[in-house]
Amino acid sequence: MNIIDFFRNLTNTLWGSYGFQALFYFSLVIILILEKKRIRQMGTCGYSVCILFIIYNPLMHLLCQYIFGPYDLTAYYCRLFCLIPIVFVIAYAIALVLQRTSGGKKFLCTFLMVSIVAASGHSPYGEEWFIRAANYNKVPNDVLEISALFPKTEKNISIMVPSDLTVYMRQVDSRFHMPYGRGENTGISDQMLGETQDVKAILNYAVSWETDYIVTFYTEDVLAQYKNWGCEVVGFTSKYVVLRQHCPK
């Protein structure tokens, strides 16, 4: 992946849509125009622009790649976005606009800005990864079934799970350790959701991260491929099979 593709994927991962990103940039322009105090302009606009310059900088990309290595670089790089006060900048720009309006104009501006924010965002309940849980722990039942397959005496369980279970694993049991988190290495974790998988690539990744257990979508064909590579069945859930791989670390 070249640097341009990396920055494009990074932007799509963090901003989600151009609407919210455009709202942030528009807020910076409003602050520059309406805010008269220089120190406040620099504290919001100047600081935010500096952080954006650091993030979208090829030298910074090369430095992160050198420090963290080629694996899951996006996950580490995305943490730099936490340095940008995105919500604060948007709220501050709205406050500046409302200060300069009154009466019906203030109501109209408020309605317009709330509509823009609502249209730019989206509800997490509509996401594909959202699953309504029917248990006390508020996690998918498959996660509870997977946890029950391991005896309480076993500590520090290194495991790889499909992307739709990643966020829930450590919620139900702190013994689980994964080589990736939510939204990381979706190429591998998404594969384990499909009926067609590159089993060799998945096992190579598991070995490189010293991962003992693999949870994958269950079909007879997929299970046969893993068994051909020497994997042992630990147990089944309603949708998945839990396997132990025995490749040398």
Side-chain angles (χ1 to χ4, degrees):
M1 179 187 298
N2 58 43
I3 293 179
I4 295 177
D5 290 336
F6 174 81
F7 285 141
R8 184 183 296 111
N9 293 336
L10 181 72
T11 301
N12 292 336
T13 300
L14 265 298
W15 293 100
S17 67
Y18 291 105
F20 192 65
Q21 186 179 11
L23 182 61
F24 171 69
Y25 295 143
F26 184 61
S27 298
L28 291 177
V29 174
I30 290 177
I31 293 172
L32 283 174
I33 295 174
L34 299 183
E35 180 56 70
K36 302 303 181 183
K37 293 187 177 181
R38 189 74 173 175
I39 189 171
R40 293 180 181 176
Q41 286 183 345
M42 295 305 298
T44 53
C45 300
Y47 170 77
S48 298
V49 170
C50 286
I51 298 299
L52 284 171
F53 178 76
I54 291 173
I55 293 174
Y56 291 101
N57 189 323
L59 294 178
M60 188 66 185
H61 173 264
L62 294 175
L63 178 62
C64 288
Q65 192 171 34
Y66 174 77
I67 295 175
F68 300 117
Y71 295 105
D72 300 330
L73 181 59
T74 302
Y76 296 104
Y77 208 89
C78 287
R79 285 167 172 77
L80 292 172
F81 274 85
C82 297
L83 299 175
I84 306 176
I86 298 172
V87 177
F88 173 80
V89 168
I90 295 174
Y92 188 37
I94 292 175
L96 289 175
V97 171
L98 294 180
Q99 281 180 353
R100 286 159 174 78
T101 58
S102 61
K105 291 182 179 180
K106 177 171 287 191
F107 175 79
L108 182 61
C109 287
T110 303
F111 177 78
L112 180 62
M113 291 175 182
V114 170
S115 299
I116 292 174
V117 172
S120 300
H122 56 275
S123 171
Y125 302 110
E127 295 287 342
E128 293 181 357
W129 49 262
F130 178 77
I131 302 173
R132 291 192 178 276
N135 54 66
Y136 177 78
N137 298 280
K138 304 301 182 185
V139 298
N141 289 327
D142 287 294
V143 175
L144 298 178
E145 293 175 18
I146 291 169
S147 178
L149 293 173
F150 297 93
K152 296 297 183 182
T153 55
E154 188 164 359
K155 307 294 184 182
N156 298 324
I157 303 169
S158 57
I159 193 168
M160 286 167 53
V161 300
S163 53
D164 62 342
L165 300 182
T166 303
V167 69
Y168 302 107
M169 294 303 297
R170 285 184 59 82
Q171 284 183 235
V172 73
D173 198 328
S174 62
R175 296 179 299 163
F176 290 124
H177 296 276
M178 292 174 288
Y180 47 77
R182 179 175 61 184
E184 300 174 18
N185 205 335
T186 53
I188 290 292
S189 56
D190 282 351
Q191 271 207 59
M192 293 188 289
L193 283 171
E195 296 183 6
T196 303
Q197 302 181 19
D198 187 345
V199 175
K200 182 178 180 181
I202 293 172
L203 289 174
N204 281 338
Y205 185 84
V207 172
S208 66
W209 286 92
E210 299 185 356
T211 304
D212 296 321
Y213 297 97
I214 297 171
V215 179
T216 183
F217 181 73
Y218 171 70
T219 66
E220 288 294 338
D221 181 58
V222 168
L223 180 58
Q225 294 182 57
Y226 279 98
K227 284 185 174 180
N228 288 339
W229 282 92
C231 293
E232 173 190 348
V233 175
V234 176
F236 296 88
T237 73
S238 57
K239 292 172 55 179
Y240 305 100
V241 56
V242 182
L243 303 159
R244 181 181 178 91
Q245 63 90 9
H246 296 284
C247 297
K249 292 184 180 179

